[in-house]
Each structure stands twice: as C-alpha cells, then as structure tokens.
Amino acid sequence: MSELTDLYQELILDHNRSPRNRGRLENPDGLAQGYNPLCGDQISVSVKLDGDRIESIKFEGSGCAISTASASLMTQSLKGKTLEEAGELFNRFHKLLTEEGNAEELGQGMGKLKVFSGVCQYPARVKCATLAWHTVKAALNNKEGNITTE
Amino acid sequence: MQSKAEQVNDGQATRPIEAASFDVERIRKDFPILSRTVNGKPLVYLDNAATTQKPSVVTASICHLHESTNANIHRGVHRLSIETTQAYEKARLRVARFIGAASETEIIFVRGATEAINLVAQSFGRPNLIEGDEIIVSNLEHHANIVPWQILCEQTGARLRVVPVDDDGNFLLDEYQHLLTQKTKIVAILQGSNALGTVVPVHAVTRMAHEYGAKVLIDGAQAVQHHEVDVRSIDCDFYVFSGHKMYAPSGIGILYAKEELLDAMPPYQGGGEMIKSVTFEQTIYNDLPHKFEAGTPNIEGAIGLGAAIEYLENVGLSNIAAYEDKLLDYATTRLAEIPEVRLIGTAKEKVSVVSFVVEGIHPHDIGTVLDQEGVAIRTGHHCAQPIMQRFGVPATARASMSFYNTHDEIDRLIDAIHTAIGVFA
C-alpha cells in the first residue's frame, strides 16, 4: 500500500499553492490549450524561443494539485533547454510516470521532476501530470493548437 | 432476500419488509463486495449513481442461466431454448409490472438509458420532426439526454430549448411553461439528476407538455432505484432507465413506450429476431416488442435485471426511499458542518446524491485522498457539463448513496474529507 505522502510530496503541495511562471507571454512563438475532459482541467501554455532554445515559458489555467504542480515544475525545468532536450525530458518524464521500476534510476538527472515518481501508483492521475507536457509539445510542434488527453 | 431465478413468482405481490425492521446489516450481507477492503480499509462505496453493486441473487440468476438452461431465445424448439426464452420473457413481464406499464409489449430491452434515448430520437424524432420544431431539455440533463437530441436537431433542423434551474438546482416549472409552444414536439427531462440529486416534478412536466401536443420522454436512470415509479400515473410517452444503476448487470436497459407510439415507429436496427419474414423483395417486421430487438439480445442482462427487480421489491421501494432519505439528510447535515465545504445542489426534493466542492482542493485530489481512506466517490463533471457550467465549477465531488450504505459510512466520508483538508491546508 502506498502512502498519500508518496503522491502529494511537499514540493508538489508547494507548487500547487504557489505556482511559478503563471500567466501568458506576449507574442509567443508557440501557444496551445490543453484539456483533460475526465476532470475538467484546462491549461494554456505559451512559449518564447531564442533560436531552438526555450527562452521563456508560462502557463495558466485551472486544475488539480498534480496538474498544477506539474505545469509549474515543468516551466522551471524547460526554461533554457533546447527543443531536443525538451523532447528528451518529456520522454523520460512519461517513463517515470508510467513504468514500474526503480524511481531513483528512472528519475536520475531529472532534478525536481523526480517528485512525480509516486504518480505511477495512481494510474488515474497520470494524465493530470502529463497534461502540461502534452500541451507544451503541441505549442512547440504546431505553434498553435488544442490538445486533449483523451 | 432469498429466491433463485427459477423461483420467480411471476409478479405476485411481494411483501415488503416493514420500515421499522429495515435491517441494513442484513441487507449488506446480500452484497458480497461490500465486505472487501481498499488500501487496507473497509470499502465505503458511495459511487452508486455511477453504478450500483450487485446482490448475490442477481449473480446467482446469471450463473443459473449459464449452468442450467443456456440457449438462444425465440428460436429453438428444444427444451433449453424454451426455458431460456421463458426466463427472458418473464423478466420483461417483471419490468412491465415494476414500472406500471399497461403491457409487457411496451417494454423494449436495450443496452441502457443512452441507447433507449437514441432509439427514440431516431425512430420517433427523425420521421416526425421538421425544421422549426422544438425539443425541450433541462439544464440538469446528463449528456445522454442532450447529445442524441442535438444530433436529431442537426438532422431535422429542429431547435433545442433548455429549462433553467435556480441557484439550489430546482427545476423551474414557470420557465418551462414559457418555453412550451405549439412548436414543441418533444420534451426530454430527467426524473432524478445524477450530478445534483434534484428530483423533477415529472407528472406536471408531462401534463403541461401534453397540453401542447408534445411527446414526453422521462429519463429515469436516477429514479427507478430510489422510489416507486408508475409510468401510467406520470402518463409519459417514453420512460428509459439502465439496469446497472439499479443493482442489475451493465449492458441492459429499458425503453418503455406507449404501444401506439411503438406501433407507428419504424425499427431502430434491422436484423434477426425483429422480422416475421424476409425475402429480397420485402421484409415484414415482427410484432412488438421484438420489432425493436434486432439480433440476439443481452439474455443474461435481462434475466439479471429481472432478479434485481425482484430483490428491490422484496426490500420494498418505500422502505428504500425512506431509508435513503435519512442517509441523505445525515450526509447533507454533516457536510454542511465543514466550513470549507460548499454543497452544489440543494433542491427541495432530491434523491440520495450529494455534490460538493471543498475550498482550495480540486475534486480530483479529494477523490484520490478519499480512495486512500477506502472511500469511493465520483469526481468530475458527471457527464453533465452544462450543469457544472451553471454553477461555475469545472467539476464536483459526489457521494451517492444506496440503501446498503450506513450512517457510519457517512462518518467515514466526513473523516476522509477532513484528512484531505489536512493534506492541502
């Protein structure tokens, strides 16, 4: 049996209470809306690029603690990354949430994002944690678009 | 709550247990799943509006079918087919008596309330509605009672009108009166709201619609399991409900319709069973109700539904209503004592559903914390997004109670909400 504190770690609760990089960028290079029909979570992510590097990134919307904290921590970890690095991080983050295995190993080099390792015990919540990531992916790929987790 | 499927006593009046002797502990023994644990804690199942648990007699009725009589129905001359056909048709008769239909030919077995509404929209609505006609639904409706009508509107050029609710979630009969005109052809309204619990005065709704010549469909998916329903007293033209929300298996549901309407309606689907004779030149459709049951139906579902109805009649619908009212009152009072909790839906008359939000905590997080405590509730928009929008929330937490729930379980719910508040404080 997993404990609640495995999922709702202090860092997640903190980013839920005070999300970082909240808002919308003026004249973004990429912008997308994400929607999780299951729980009604809505998020909008805007990105500004400097070449192929993410110069700044912001999000706004409403969602549960997991999706809000995930969006907040995502913006922190993507800032300054190249598009390739961002894609690689997304893949690893997805693996961390969906693959059974050693969380320490899977989370290596992921910094604060490791706090989401508990989510894999709660399959119903994986989409909450990945919503912001799917949205930023859409923002970077299509420059403009709407995505949904379903 | 004894009785095996083969002992169905063909609709003889069953004697309800006296209200005074309503013994919830005895009832709970009929539902084996209620003794399991979740996350090391005894399960508290409060998601009954999504689906109810199944009593042993329902499971036994399906086992009996599979192990003793199984065959296809209405086909063979052999003994098994005859016995299974009899059991299937006995279930239909039981449904007819359960809701007070004039005849079992007015009872169509379908997959669920959703399919029943789609059937009415396509077989009754499509041939009868033209551009400019109007269909009235309410703000409370489940998506299943919105989308089939929107599809019909696209097909015919008809228009959807919506009866609003007040801030407590009460259906506004006066506003409904204003929407009724000669253009109104169909009124499709739920009897009990899955999202808020609101009970709609369906007798008045039907009477008022009939004054304008409109046909009335009542969605009883959240009504039949809570209190007695008599379709002839309501006088509605169509009544629909799902088996799995009333202690029967999933994949079975009922469309009740007045016989003259069913007679005039074209079939919904073509296939075997729904025909009398087929040639490449001409096909003659079968009599009611078989005209609307193409293909081999959900035989075990129908038999399980019959067993569930017998079980409910043994417990007694009036006992169920009285007991669930007490649970609802208790849950409402206890929730209102928590300062962070806001109840969504406080209509004067409700089925045993409480929807709420907790300040500063998303319903999804409440659901996860409660699950950790062994308490199963539904969180989300409950497939009723328009009523969520009406109350300005993306989602709610919802506890929906059955007569097998106890006051102690409500206490467990309240304790778990306090735990959630502790986590996110």
Side-chain angles (χ1 to χ4, degrees):
Chain A
M1 172 191 157
S2 59
E3 295 293 327
L4 263 183
T5 45
D6 291 345
L7 179 66
Y8 294 114
Q9 297 193 32
E10 193 46 51
L11 189 66
I12 291 180
L13 295 174
D14 171 47
H15 277 256
N16 176 48
R17 266 181 233 118
S18 350
R20 322 298 201 264
N21 299 312
R22 192 147 207 180
R24 182 183 289 241
L25 294 167
E26 293 287 317
N27 307 316
D29 296 308
L31 173 70
Q33 318 289 329
Y35 177 51
N36 182 347
L38 192 71
C39 47
D41 289 358
Q42 297 200 31
I43 190 179
S44 148
V45 177
S46 48
V47 190
K48 251 184 141 43
L49 296 173
D50 176 14
D52 77 334
R53 204 169 280 279
I54 296 171
E55 186 187 78
S56 47
I57 171 167
K58 286 197 169 188
F59 83 99
E60 58 185 1
S62 69
C64 64
I66 301 298
S67 81
T68 304
S70 175
S72 172
L73 281 155
M74 177 192 78
T75 58
Q76 286 193 325
S77 24
L78 287 184
K79 208 167 177 173
K81 294 268 190 307
T82 64
L83 294 180
E84 194 185 336
E85 287 166 346
E88 169 67 10
L89 199 55
F90 177 46
N91 291 339
R92 296 188 54 193
F93 184 68
H94 201 262
K95 236 175 159 176
L96 178 75
L97 298 180
T98 52
E99 281 185 20
E100 288 287 335
N102 188 334
E104 271 307 310
E105 220 169 89
L106 288 167
Q108 213 147 45
M110 296 189 69
K112 290 177 179 174
L113 295 177
K114 270 195 308 220
V115 295
F116 290 101
S117 62
V119 176
C120 74
Q121 299 297 320
Y122 300 82
R125 307 303 301 276
V126 169
K127 284 176 178 174
C128 307
T130 54
L131 178 62
W133 288 83
H134 283 292
T135 310
V136 78
K137 201 173 170 187
L140 293 171
N141 286 344
N142 316 332
K143 308 294 187 205
E144 187 121 346
N146 291 298
I147 69 113
T148 142
T149 58
E150 295 301 302
Chain B
M1 313 308 106
Q2 78 307 329
S3 89
K4 289 181 189 141
E6 74 269 30
Q7 292 172 337
V8 167
N9 61 354
D10 226 343
Q12 270 179 30
T14 45
R15 195 166 54 109
I17 300 164
E18 297 303 318
S21 69
F22 188 86
D23 183 351
V24 69
E25 287 312 320
R26 205 177 109 208
I27 299 267
R28 289 177 70 82
K29 291 198 173 72
D30 298 330
F31 295 83
I33 201 172
L34 297 180
S35 60
R36 75 161 278 182
T37 58
V38 168
N39 290 317
K41 291 164 185 146
L43 167 68
V44 175
Y45 187 77
L46 295 172
D47 195 16
N48 295 288
T51 199
T52 52
Q53 300 303 344
K54 320 304 174 197
S56 301
V57 286
V58 168
T59 315
S61 73
I62 297 167
C63 279
H64 175 74
L65 168 74
H66 286 171
E67 293 176 0
S68 307
T69 79
N70 183 54
N72 209 333
I73 56 166
H74 298 136
R75 307 272 199 290
V77 293
H78 61 77
R79 175 53 44 192
L80 297 187
S81 179
I82 293 164
E83 284 179 8
T84 303
T85 303
Q86 282 171 347
Y88 181 79
E89 290 304 329
K90 203 172 263 186
R92 193 193 307 276
L93 188 62
R94 199 174 271 290
V95 172
R97 290 182 178 167
F98 180 62
I99 59 169
S103 156
E104 68 272 24
T105 55
E106 298 179 320
I107 302 299
I108 313 293
F109 283 119
V110 290
R111 276 193 298 146
T114 298
E115 186 174 58
I117 296 169
N118 278 280
L119 191 161
V120 174
Q122 291 305 311
S123 283
F124 173 76
R126 203 167 178 184
N128 287 304
L129 267 64
I130 54 166
E131 193 168 349
D133 285 345
E134 293 185 346
I135 300 164
I136 297 180
V137 298
S138 83
N139 200 165
L140 293 161
E141 303 311 316
H142 188 284
H143 296 165
N145 202 24
I146 299 172
V147 183
W149 306 116
Q150 289 175 324
I151 293 172
L152 178 62
C153 286
E154 276 174 31
Q155 291 165 335
T156 61
R159 197 155 77 103
L160 199 65
R161 309 298 306 271
V162 182
V163 183
V165 297
D166 67 13
D167 290 343
D168 290 317
N170 287 301
F171 179 91
L172 293 170
L173 218 48
D174 290 352
E175 301 285 338
Y176 168 60
Q177 177 71 68
H178 291 143
L179 289 175
L180 284 165
T181 68
Q182 297 301 329
K183 287 192 239 167
T184 311
K185 291 298 181 299
I186 296 174
V187 171
I189 302 282
L190 53 72
Q191 189 169 12
S193 154
N194 73 310
L196 307 186
T198 304
V199 171
V200 172
V202 291
H203 288 75
V205 163
T206 304
R207 195 177 57 243
M208 289 158 71
H210 283 169
E211 281 168 20
Y212 292 83
K215 299 297 181 210
V216 178
L217 178 144
I218 302 298
D219 172 3
Q222 302 290 345
V224 279
Q225 67 278 54
H226 294 301
H227 50 73
E228 278 167 25
V229 166
D230 185 327
V231 291
R232 272 187 292 173
S233 152
I234 298 170
D235 196 30
C236 54
D237 302 286
F238 305 99
Y239 193 92
V240 306
F241 56 97
S242 294
H244 74 99
K245 294 183 195 293
M246 52 172 298
Y247 310 97
S250 51
I252 189 76
I254 295 297
L255 165 65
Y256 154 83
K258 287 178 179 168
E259 191 166 332
E260 69 267 23
L261 290 168
L262 287 174
D263 266 334
M265 285 158 58
Y268 179 52
Q269 293 180 325
E273 176 68 25
M274 54 75 71
I275 47 83
K276 266 186 181 154
S277 72
V278 176
T279 66
F280 284 113
E281 288 69 40
Q282 192 190 16
T283 288
I284 299 169
Y285 302 137
N286 206 338
D287 296 330
L288 292 175
H290 311 293
K291 184 172 92 175
F292 289 99
E293 293 180 6
T296 296
N298 181 353
I299 301 168
E300 38 277 85
I303 288 169
L305 176 58
I309 288 174
E310 185 185 18
Y311 179 81
L312 287 175
E313 288 172 341
N314 282 332
V315 177
L317 264 296
S318 55
N319 294 330
I320 289 171
Y323 181 76
E324 289 181 346
D325 272 352
K326 278 187 215 155
L327 281 180
L328 175 65
D329 282 348
Y330 185 63
T332 306
T333 306
R334 297 276 346 245
L335 281 166
E337 286 167 3
I338 307 174
E340 292 88 347
V341 165
R342 176 162 71 101
L343 290 167
I344 307 286
T346 44
K348 284 194 282 289
E349 203 188 333
K350 283 178 60 171
V351 290
S352 46
V353 168
V354 279
S355 232
F356 59 95
V357 291
V358 183
E359 197 186 317
I361 315 180
H362 191 282
H364 234 61
D365 295 313
I366 295 169
T368 294
V369 175
L370 264 55
D371 177 58
Q372 205 65 29
E373 300 297 315
V375 180
I377 61 159
R378 171 82 189 269
T379 61
H381 53 57
H382 319 296
C383 294
Q385 287 179 350
I387 197 66
M388 298 289 108
Q389 288 150 13
R390 166 64 178 78
F391 284 89
V393 292
T396 71
R398 178 191 72 187
S400 51
M401 292 153 282
S402 156
F403 59 89
Y404 51 54
N405 290 125
T406 66
H407 289 71
D408 285 348
E409 289 183 309
I410 306 297
D411 291 339
R412 291 265 313 278
L413 165 73
I414 301 298
D415 290 348
I417 293 170
H418 282 295
T419 302
I421 293 170
V423 170
F424 290 94

